[in-house]
Amino acid sequence: VEAGAEAPERARIGFRPEHVSPTGGASDATVEVVEDVGPARVLVLRWADTRVHVLVARDSPVRPGDVLRPRVERRCVVVWPA
């Protein structure tokens, strides 16, 4: 997620797993865990030294160790000054 001109120097961001696409981003993330949860899967990614959860379709062929380039929907990000 790119910061706007008025963004604080340091901040915490929050977003929901369903607001992250596993592709389309600019930086690599490694899949650590793939968990089946009914009609979907939750991916736990190591992204920028942080664990991030991503919700994908049950038939997504992702496996632990895969490298993805996730992208967060900008309109769904909440920012708190650190």
Side-chain angles (χ1 to χ4, degrees), residues 32-58:
E32 292 185 335
V33 177
V34 177
E35 182 179 357
D36 292 328
V37 290
R41 286 183 155 177
V42 173
L43 309 178
V44 179
L45 308 180
R46 176 64 59 183
W47 188 22
D49 204 30
T50 300
R51 293 181 87 191
V52 175
H53 293 84
V54 179
L55 191 65
V56 297
R58 172 99 177 178

